[in-house]
Amino acid sequence: MANMATILQQARRSLAIARKDIRIYYAKGPVIIFGVLLPTFLFLAFIMGRHFSADFAIPGLLGMSLFFAATAISPVVVPWEGQARTLERLVSCPVMIETIILGDILASFAFGLGISLVPIILGFSLGITISSPFILAVAIILAALCFAALGNIFSIPPTNLPANIMMIASVVKFPVVFISGIFISLDQLSTWGQAVAYISPLTYFTDIARYSIQGQAHLPIGIDFLALVGFTVLFLVVAMRMHQNTMPKRI
Amino acid sequence: MPGVESNNNLAIEVNDLTKRYGQLIAVDHISFAVKKGELFGFLGPNGAGKTTTVRILTGVIRADGGRASISGHAVGSLKAKQMAGVVPEMANAYVDLSGWDNLMIMAELYGISTSMARERSSNLLQDLGLLPRKDSLVKTYSKGMKQRLILCMALLSDPEVLFLDEPTSGLDVQSARLIKDLLRRLNKAGSTIFLTTHYMDEANELCDKVAIINKGKIVAIDAPEKLRLATSAMHSVEISFADTTNPEDLAKLPGVNTVNKVGDKYRLYTADPGDLVVSLVNYSRSVGLKIVSLNILAPSLEDAFVALTGKEEKGG
């Protein structure tokens, strides 16, 4: 069991890894495409020609932007580093594998937070008001961490081809967007539709966003937060445990 | 197999280390020790298990069996990693960052203060001729420059033990020389260096002791000079004549083990080169051949390496 000094030391090194990721990977093509352009155009494709109110559209756009942005970097950093042979250098440094994974997740988390400001600013320009800003802020922070950890799970298979990981990520990410109450509110879904929606962490964030902006939610907010915390812990533990086994196979 | 010492004077201790990849035993129950301040060469043909051993010792992969430690700390532990500097086989700095930024990242990962990192980085870059290019992106560096930067990154933490996996492989003469000169200086200053290489000349001129690994097993550990001289049957005489001759006639001369044609010369292997020279002179007179050149060659480390790994090959 690591002592407190070691935990703090490793936390500092995770931040160093996150800063490195931010400098290197934010400007990479797949990150811009999957993290910014794709959710924007996907949302526009669904919203154009339909009569959605800004109050309904903005929480959905916020959820989708945050989800795509926070899962844009964390899946591809490890395979990119494996391919570029920087991973061996990193693993030989005095850092734990958990430290490396946490650093990659933090970089994705920060990207998600930054991108989430875009739909909020857009919402303000369309005249929406946020009735529960503190709740929304906490939910954005929690969801960004949750989605970044989920994104990291996509990179567990020990392949060093980022395209393979992007494919795995896309197979999960697109269905998640459609089942999470982004385009159709949970109240309008059938019972089985709602049952499927409950397995998606994005559902709970979108529900909190609707509560914060529209003033009403499908589930009690406490349940939404509990579910988000549960998914976050689960994704962090799975990411860190599984990479312990697969990371040496990449080198 | 030499016994493994166990005292505070050891920088690296390896006992019964084993690594399997499916059916293949990449590292097969190897044991050795490296004393503090020693420059230890780890030689072997491609696929012998050199890189796998280095990766286990540097904590990059886990062994399936056995134990190994760096200055008493189990390999793979944070303390063992903190004490080691690593130059992996392939140059692998972050090419989208500058050389300087790569060094600053390393400093953060090793917990080195900013002021110390700046001072050490400047000195190392100066020593290895990279200071003028410190702010250029690594993607613009040549292979030799990248490898020198990797060495700077490995030395930034002032490690007790430096691991280098084929550090001069494929490099230009200037870069290879800079790296070898630095290794000599570091070793003279007391650093322990673990060097894997397939360049026998490099091992011969740099290392205090070498281990030869073949098919995952260590086949010899000794000083290069002792290994070289132990291969007594590998003495040779190299001769060239003004005209062609039949190599079978040369093979029939007394004391000749093998005859190889090397360019326009013949190399005759023998345990007694002095007597062979006399025989060759008599032979050339008897058939009327003029000798153009004649040299007695001591066995090289390469000869010892080939003899040892070849013997394993036949035995295996």
Side-chain angles (χ1 to χ4, degrees), chain B residues 162-182:
Chain B
L162 181 62
F163 290 92
L164 302 106
D165 193 0
E166 308 279 3
T168 60
S169 180
L171 295 191
D172 58 282
V173 175
Q174 188 196 17
S175 294
R177 185 172 288 181
L178 270 171
I179 289 174
K180 284 192 279 189
D181 287 346
L182 183 64

Side-chain angles (χ1 to χ4, degrees), chain A residues 19 23 81 85 89 91, chain B residues 81 86 92 94 101 108:
Chain A
R19 280 196 295 274
R23 294 183 65 182
E81 296 226 1
R85 300 190 67 99
R89 167 81 263 176
V91 175
Chain B
K81 286 180 171 184
V86 186
N92 55 0
Y94 291 103
D101 288 340
E108 287 187 276

Side-chain angles (χ1 to χ4, degrees), chain A residues 58-117:
Chain A
I58 292 301
L61 179 60
L62 175 60
M64 195 166 68
S65 304
L66 182 57
F67 182 68
F68 272 99
T71 53
I73 296 173
S74 54
V76 287
V77 173
V78 174
W80 254 328
E81 296 226 1
Q83 193 178 54
R85 300 190 67 99
T86 50
L87 193 60
E88 182 172 350
R89 167 81 263 176
L90 198 56
V91 175
S92 67
C93 291
V95 291
M96 298 190 286
I97 287 181
E98 291 92 332
T99 307
I100 297 172
I101 296 305
L102 184 62
D104 293 344
I105 289 173
L106 288 176
S108 225
F109 163 78
F111 190 64
L113 286 187
I115 294 296
S116 71
L117 292 174

Side-chain angles (χ1 to χ4, degrees), chain B residues 56-79:
Chain B
I56 293 170
L57 295 180
T58 53
V60 172
I61 57 173
R62 284 189 289 266
D64 295 320
R67 285 180 294 112
S69 61
I70 310 288
S71 296
H73 301 288
V75 293
S77 67
L78 291 175
K79 282 185 177 170

Side-chain angles (χ1 to χ4, degrees), chain B residues 34-41 187-188 191-193 203-210 222-226:
Chain B
V34 180
K35 288 179 189 163
K36 284 183 178 167
E38 202 164 57
L39 207 163
F40 189 88
N187 186 237
K188 203 173 175 183
S191 292
T192 307
I193 298 174
N204 195 33
E205 65 183 272
L206 289 175
C207 298
D208 301 312
K209 193 189 259 190
V210 295
D222 215 329
E225 197 63 12
K226 286 183 184 169

Side-chain angles (χ1 to χ4, degrees), chain B residues 16 21 25 28 35 41 54 64 66 69 161 226 249 269 273 282 292 295 297 312:
Chain B
D16 215 22
Y21 290 108
I25 305 179
D28 193 356
K35 288 179 189 163
V54 171
D64 295 320
S69 61
V161 184
K226 286 183 184 169
D249 292 343
Y269 288 89
N282 291 337
V292 176
N295 292 301
L297 304 174
E312 272 294 300

Side-chain angles (χ1 to χ4, degrees), chain B residues 146-164:
Chain B
K146 282 181 189 165
Q147 191 69 340
R148 281 183 268 155
L149 175 64
I150 295 288
L151 186 53
C152 290
M153 290 160 73
L155 292 172
L156 189 64
S157 62
D158 194 17
E160 285 188 21
V161 184
L162 181 62
F163 290 92
L164 302 106

